């Protein structure tokens, strides 16, 4: 619900409506976004159209969207200091996707590693939306003329694609969109509890952001550590241990040093290290859990945030689309057209179409 922020650079980022936000999302993205709220004109979008490209339950989608919005607000995306909305509430995302598709390279799309990854995970659902997903992402960004996009390392290829689409459109139709720049946060990759793949809800290797202290400890207790530390007396290498990575996100400098020195010298055991981390995480996330409970108790407020965000974004998107339609030669209802015989096909805006016969 930001006001008077247009002198600031615009930031755009999308949030998958998974319903469950985990500490990987928090450290890799959310916390960095929250730090940007005062310095940028921030727009954050729950990307339900993107979520349709992989198997999902339509009946559960509205609740997932709402839940995701609330957790993100609780994690620091204060709706009074940024714009939050739901992608499908602003129809122009789909329209711009089509137009940008005419400027996008098929060969580049074929090279997208996320497409290859998702088609191998869902071989029975290789749909065109999955293939053109990066074009929708480019449309999300360019629709608001965003100059800055906070990205994790797995999104750099999609952002580079969006930058190419931007250059291609500007080259063909005239300077329209600023080329979005990536912004990397301090922690970019948190591994799952088994330390084999990136933390993700779908792999079930995550710690939910809203987990209570007991759940945090129960998940950390069995989490993988440096495999070289078989016995308590074996020295370890904290840099290869995911527990150390999570310490970097939640612990004080003093505790990080304690973990690093204790690990290398075998002065501490992994259980000590994890217990200290569990305590730090629980304390650090307590305000997030508290804010979430407050939002959950105010469904009307959450609904208003969604409506307000959609209204603001619709207006901004419409300004961009007016320019895009004009530059690309797309017709609008206010255009007048003449048939070869000089008979007017469209009379004026809001008037009925007349048929030539
Ligand atoms: S002491 Fe800590 S950083 Fe070292 S291997 Fe064990 S859990 Fe990982």
């Amino acid at each position: 619900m930001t006001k008077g922020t247009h002198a600031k650079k615009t930031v755009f980022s999308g949030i998958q409506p998974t319903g469950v936000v985990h500490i990987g999302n928090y450290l890799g993205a959310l916390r960095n976004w929250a730090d940007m709220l005062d310095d940028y004109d921030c727009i954050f979008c729950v990307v339900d159209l993107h979520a349709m490209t992989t198997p999902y339950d339509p009946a559960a989608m509205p609740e997932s969207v709402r839940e995701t919005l609330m957790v993100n607000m609780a994690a620091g995306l204060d709706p009074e200091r940024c714009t939050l909305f739901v992608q499908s509430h602003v129809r122009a995302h789909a329209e711009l996707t089509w137009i940008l598709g005419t400027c996008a390279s098929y060969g580049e799309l074929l090279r997208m590693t996320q497409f290859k990854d998702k088609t191998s995970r869902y071989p029975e659902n290789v749909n065109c939306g999955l293939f053109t997903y990066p074009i929708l992402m480019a449309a999300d960004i360019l629709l608001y003329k965003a100059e800055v996009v906070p990205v994790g390392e797995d999104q750099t290829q999609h952002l580079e694609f969006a930058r190419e689409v931007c250059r291609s459109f500007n080259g063909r139709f005239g300077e329209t969109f600023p080329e979005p720049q990536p912004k990397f946060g301090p922690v970019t990759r948190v591994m799952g509890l088994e330390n084999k793949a990136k933390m993700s809800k779908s792999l079930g290797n995550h710690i939910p952001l809203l987990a209570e202290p007991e759940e945090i400890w129960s998940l950390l207790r069995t989490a993988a550590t440096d495999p070289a530390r078989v016995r308590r007396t074996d020295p370890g290498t904290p840099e290869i241990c995911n527990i150390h990575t999570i310490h970097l996100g939640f612990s004080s400098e003093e505790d990080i040093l304690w973990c690093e020195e204790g690990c290398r010298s075998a002065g501490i055991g992994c259980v000590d290290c994890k217990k200290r981390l569990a305590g730090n995480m629980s304390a650090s996330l307590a305000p997030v859990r508290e804010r979430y409970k407050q939002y959950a108790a105010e469904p009307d407020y959450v609904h208003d945030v969604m409506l307000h965000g959609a209204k603001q974004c619709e207006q901004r998107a419409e300004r961009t689309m007016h320019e895009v339609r004009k530059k690309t030669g797309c017709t609008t209802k206010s255009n007048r057209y003449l048939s070869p015989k000089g008979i007017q096909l469209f009379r004026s805006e809001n008037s009925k179409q007349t048929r030539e016969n």
Side-chain angles (χ1 to χ4, degrees):
M1 297 193 184
T2 48
K3 287 193 183 87
T5 50
H6 292 281
K8 297 175 179 175
K9 282 189 174 176
T10 300
V11 164
F12 181 94
S13 200
I15 304 158
Q16 287 285 346
T18 58
V20 174
V21 177
H22 54 71
I23 61 153
N25 305 129
Y26 182 65
L27 296 180
L30 270 169
R31 203 163 63 168
N32 304 330
W33 298 355
D35 286 343
M36 299 170 80
L37 299 190
D38 293 330
D39 299 327
Y40 295 90
D41 167 25
C42 292
I43 304 175
F44 300 112
C45 169
V46 181
V47 291
D48 52 348
L49 297 179
H50 281 285
M52 292 173 68
T53 58
T54 49
Y56 73 103
D57 176 5
M61 180 67 98
E63 192 44 38
S64 295
V65 166
R66 240 178 66 79
E67 181 67 18
T68 302
L69 192 72
M70 283 196 297
V71 185
N72 280 273
M73 284 160 57
L77 303 190
D78 176 1
E80 303 297 327
R81 291 154 66 216
C82 66
T83 304
L84 290 159
F85 78 108
V86 180
Q87 191 181 29
S88 62
H89 293 180
V90 179
R91 303 292 158 88
H93 286 255
E95 183 183 358
L96 186 58
T97 298
W98 181 261
I99 294 172
L100 293 181
T102 67
C103 302
S105 156
Y106 172 73
E108 286 299 321
L109 279 177
L110 278 176
R111 278 191 274 279
M112 294 293 127
T113 50
Q114 270 198 30
F115 175 69
K116 292 177 193 165
D117 174 48
K118 285 188 177 163
T119 51
S120 67
R121 273 162 61 191
Y122 307 105
E124 72 295 340
N125 183 41
V126 183
N127 61 75
C128 291
L130 200 54
F131 185 63
T132 57
Y133 184 111
I135 307 178
L136 178 56
M137 188 177 138
D140 297 339
I141 298 164
L142 300 185
L143 195 52
Y144 304 100
K145 301 199 175 187
E147 292 137 304
V148 178
V149 179
V151 285
E153 60 182 332
D154 56 345
Q155 290 152 332
T156 51
Q157 193 185 30
H158 280 175
L159 182 62
E160 191 45 49
F161 178 83
R163 284 156 56 83
E164 279 178 30
V165 170
C166 172
R167 289 193 289 270
S168 166
F169 184 97
N170 287 346
R172 195 166 153 201
F173 299 110
E175 202 62 25
T176 307
F177 301 112
E179 205 170 306
Q181 304 298 321
K183 184 168 172 57
F184 297 97
V187 176
T188 53
R189 191 176 180 85
V190 178
M191 300 297 283
L193 293 170
E194 83 297 14
N195 203 18
K196 287 190 178 136
K198 197 179 159 195
M199 187 172 280
S200 101
K201 185 207 165 198
S202 59
L203 295 176
N205 61 5
H206 63 289
I207 302 177
L209 190 61
L210 300 177
E212 293 290 343
E214 309 75 50
E215 188 183 1
I216 292 177
W217 171 241
S218 121
L219 290 167
L220 279 180
R221 199 170 53 82
T222 51
T225 60
D226 175 0
R229 294 209 72 186
V230 180
R231 288 175 296 270
R232 168 83 165 67
T233 48
D234 293 330
T237 309
E239 290 75 17
I240 63 166
C241 177
N242 196 37
I243 298 298
H244 173 255
T245 307
I246 305 175
H247 260 299
L248 293 177
F250 289 106
S251 297
S252 63
E253 279 182 25
E254 195 185 333
D255 278 355
I256 292 168
L257 202 64
W258 168 84
C259 153
E260 291 172 351
E261 288 179 357
C263 181
R264 285 196 194 95
S265 64
I268 60 169
C270 291
V271 174
D272 306 323
C273 186
K274 288 173 172 182
K275 272 191 179 155
R276 181 80 60 105
L277 174 60
N280 292 341
M281 278 179 70
S282 299
S284 169
L285 295 176
V288 176
R289 292 192 296 272
E290 196 46 46
R291 277 195 296 268
Y292 173 80
K293 284 173 193 160
Q294 285 169 8
Y295 287 132
E298 293 181 280
D300 288 349
Y301 177 71
V302 176
H303 187 67
D304 284 351
V305 167
M306 270 199 269
L307 285 186
H308 182 83
K311 198 172 159 202
Q312 286 217 319
C313 289
E314 259 175 354
Q315 287 169 356
R316 290 179 72 161
E318 199 42 46
R319 280 199 292 276
T320 303
M321 289 314 299
H322 181 74
E323 187 183 351
V324 166
R325 291 182 200 116
K326 214 169 155 189
K327 286 183 174 169
T328 54
C330 287
T331 60
T332 67
K333 282 188 284 185
S334 58
N335 288 140
R336 284 168 174 265
Y337 290 91
L338 294 180
S339 76
K341 292 178 189 167
I343 299 169
Q344 188 180 310
L345 293 176
F346 293 81
R347 284 188 293 209
S348 65
E349 192 167 13
N350 299 328
S351 70
K352 270 187 172 177
Q353 180 180 335
T354 57
R355 293 188 186 283
E356 186 183 11
N357 50 34

